Amino acid sequence: RGTSLLTGSAIETPTEINAQMKEDFLGGPEEGSSFLQQNDETIVHYLDNAERYRKPEAVLDAVDRYYATDNANVHRGAHELAARATAGYEGARAKVARLIGGDDREVVYTKSATEGINLLANTWGDSNIKAGDEIILSVMEDHSNIIPWQRLAQRKGATIKYVRLSEEFTYDLEHLKSLLSERTKLVAATHASSVLGTRNPVAKVADLAHQVGAIFVLDASQTMARGPLNVGTIGCDFLVASGHTMMAPYGIGFLWGKYKLLEGMKPWQGGGEMIDEVFLEKSTYAPPPGRFEAGTPSIAETIGLGASIDIIMETGTRNILENEFRIGEVLYKGLTDMSNITLLGGAEERLGIASFVSATHSPREMQKILRKKGYRIGDGLYSSQPLHQVLGYPHGSNRVSFSMFDTENEARDFLQILRSCMS
């Protein structure tokens, strides 16, 4: 037995907790993350949160309020509109730092995790990677955590090696150990694959990387809204994330880095905001994080990011993770019990994300069948073409991804519909 996360009223079960969350954040139990009311009054069950997380009302309100009441630039005015905009913008930075256990000065705003990785490759990478060095990734990485490093390796004459999957479809730590050497300068890994849906042992990866003097870059895009994350506990040197997978608007993300590392990195883009002083002959640059934030930023989107973090923190990251594991267990058992369905990924540390392949329908056909039943799920490669090739499904898979507002009951409802479609 517990109490509502917002109202303090008595609630009995995890299902009731999530119903209260839906009412508090999304406008009512009938308008939860899985439910979207269409113009023709049909109910759509939205289960594609790994691609784009549903935006709660509080996030939309925060964006609208900025445009309606302030609509001013940040750091560039003394009037009250600019002051409020700056407070909201920098307040969101403090919220990011608090969420991940970092320092405000270590949080660099980007438009996405992709931009954050490109920033690293073009700053830290250009200064620290040389011919003969090695970069270690894994076969489960998103394209955004492969292509920037490939381009860096091509420019510098470095080599990329890939950690394979274990027999349980998890990150193979023993294989990582065999790849590491004194030539290894950088290891990058996802906290959780958006295809496999299971969390990786990233603290162990970080420790192994540091043993050979390499830095560790963590892609946390799929886990920021799916449980607790602390950069100190994990031991990463850099972390990237995208706002749209943590309920924030499109076009905002962040890079976190240890301040000493950020301080030693050159600017990537030039313009306003990232400068100290500008002369006709030369310019000097601001300290981090401003050094990496050239030009007018995405202010409304950043304020929306702050609002999304408010919801995550108020709900409780441990509560969120426990709910993820409950949904993940239901998905694993239900999908592995279906004889004509192949689940991609194992059971350990499974979140509320599951990709699967039908023996009788292509991913696109399955998506169309479920669409007629009111479900909106993913189909395709999800920016993970190499992983699908390794798994033997080069044409992709289907994916369901639940949110923090959903429960295992909604997972069971989906499985029941899927069974009916396959019979």
Side-chain angles (χ1 to χ4, degrees):
R1 184 178 179 87
T3 57
S4 166
L5 297 165
L6 288 186
T7 65
S9 57
I11 47 180
E12 297 286 348
T13 66
T15 299
E16 289 176 313
I17 291 175
N18 287 67
Q20 183 66 51
M21 288 161 57
K22 288 179 179 181
E23 184 171 2
D24 290 332
F25 295 128
L26 290 164
E30 298 305 318
E31 298 178 11
S33 180
S34 295
F35 301 97
L36 296 172
Q37 189 77 35
Q38 302 298 293
N39 292 333
D40 61 1
E41 297 187 353
T42 60
I43 296 295
V44 169
H45 302 263
Y46 180 81
L47 297 180
D48 200 14
N49 290 281
E51 178 63 32
R52 190 273 301 169
Y53 219 108
R54 179 97 184 272
K55 307 296 181 279
E57 289 182 354
V59 173
L60 301 177
D61 289 345
V63 173
D64 290 344
R65 187 164 53 249
Y66 162 76
Y67 282 120
T69 63
D70 298 330
N71 197 30
N73 209 335
V74 296
H75 305 145
R76 300 189 185 187
H79 53 76
E80 74 280 6
L81 303 183
R84 283 202 302 264
T86 301
Y89 180 81
E90 292 300 335
R93 194 190 307 273
K95 293 173 184 178
V96 171
R98 187 165 64 252
L99 179 64
I100 65 175
D103 186 276
D104 298 16
R105 302 177 305 155
E106 299 171 326
V107 177
V108 178
Y109 288 134
T110 63
K111 69 180 182 182
S112 61
T114 300
E115 186 174 65
I117 295 172
N118 276 278
L119 189 160
L120 282 178
N122 285 278
T123 53
W124 188 94
D126 271 349
S127 298
N128 292 277
I129 299 296
K130 61 182 184 299
D133 287 344
E134 294 179 353
I135 297 168
I136 297 181
L137 310 176
S138 81
V139 296
M140 68 175 73
E141 301 307 314
D142 185 278
H143 297 167
S144 63
N145 206 18
I146 295 177
I147 297 169
W149 305 123
Q150 287 179 337
R151 299 182 68 194
L152 173 64
Q154 291 164 2
R155 291 197 305 271
K156 295 292 186 172
T159 299
I160 295 181
K161 296 184 175 181
Y162 293 92
V163 177
R164 65 192 175 208
L165 298 179
S166 69
E167 293 182 357
E168 293 77 30
F169 301 100
T170 60
Y171 190 101
D172 193 330
L173 286 171
E174 293 303 314
H175 189 222
L176 170 64
K177 293 176 184 178
S178 73
L179 297 179
L180 290 166
S181 73
E182 69 278 359
R183 294 184 298 275
T184 307
K185 295 297 182 287
L186 180 146
V187 178
T190 179
H191 198 186
S193 164
S194 66
V195 176
L196 301 176
T198 52
R199 297 201 310 174
N200 290 322
V202 291
K204 294 180 180 179
V205 176
D207 181 59
L208 290 169
H210 292 156
Q211 288 180 25
V212 298
I215 69 162
F216 176 54
V217 179
L218 178 65
D219 178 1
S221 296
Q222 286 300 330
T223 52
M224 291 305 306
R226 296 186 182 276
L229 188 158
N230 185 283
V231 292
T233 302
I234 292 171
C236 54
D237 300 288
F238 294 103
L239 175 148
V240 297
S242 290
H244 65 265
T245 53
M246 51 187 295
M247 300 182 288
Y250 288 109
I252 185 62
F254 62 88
L255 160 71
W256 171 88
K258 292 179 178 177
Y259 192 80
K260 186 175 181 180
L261 293 175
L262 292 174
E263 198 172 28
M265 289 161 45
K266 64 183 181 181
W268 181 31
Q269 297 175 325
E273 291 292 307
M274 52 78 65
I275 50 87
D276 178 24
E277 292 185 299
V278 178
F279 306 95
L280 294 180
E281 299 80 15
K282 65 177 183 178
S283 298
T284 57
Y285 306 120
R291 180 184 302 173
F292 308 106
E293 296 178 354
T296 298
S298 301
I299 303 168
E301 290 80 359
T302 303
I303 291 172
L305 173 65
S308 75
I309 293 173
D310 287 341
I311 296 172
I312 293 171
M313 296 292 282
E314 193 164 0
T315 304
T317 56
R318 179 56 57 180
N319 292 335
I320 294 170
L321 182 61
E322 290 173 356
N323 187 57
E324 289 282 333
F325 284 160
R326 286 192 294 267
I327 294 175
E329 183 179 4
V330 169
L331 290 173
Y332 181 82
K333 290 181 178 178
L335 290 169
T336 53
D337 282 346
M338 297 186 198
S339 59
N340 46 7
I341 289 289
T342 299
L343 173 66
L344 307 185
E348 186 177 354
E349 294 280 311
R350 173 164 288 281
L351 302 172
I353 302 172
S355 298
F356 60 92
V357 177
S358 165
T360 55
H361 300 88
S362 71
R364 182 54 52 88
E365 290 170 342
M366 180 58 67
Q367 183 270 139
K368 290 180 178 178
I369 291 170
L370 287 167
R371 179 171 181 149
K372 293 179 180 178
K373 300 291 186 179
Y375 282 90
R376 301 297 184 265
I377 70 169
D379 71 280
L381 297 168
Y382 325 116
S383 293
S384 297
Q385 186 173 1
L387 177 57
H388 278 93
Q389 292 170 340
V390 167
L391 293 171
Y393 300 103
H395 301 296
S397 60
N398 290 109
R399 181 181 66 193
V400 290
S401 46
F402 291 78
S403 79
M404 59 188 279
F405 305 107
D406 297 319
T407 71
E408 59 266 42
N409 287 338
E410 286 157 317
R412 293 189 186 98
D413 290 343
F414 166 76
L415 291 169
Q416 183 177 354
I417 293 296
L418 180 60
R419 288 190 193 95
S420 70
C421 293
M422 300 300 295
S423 60

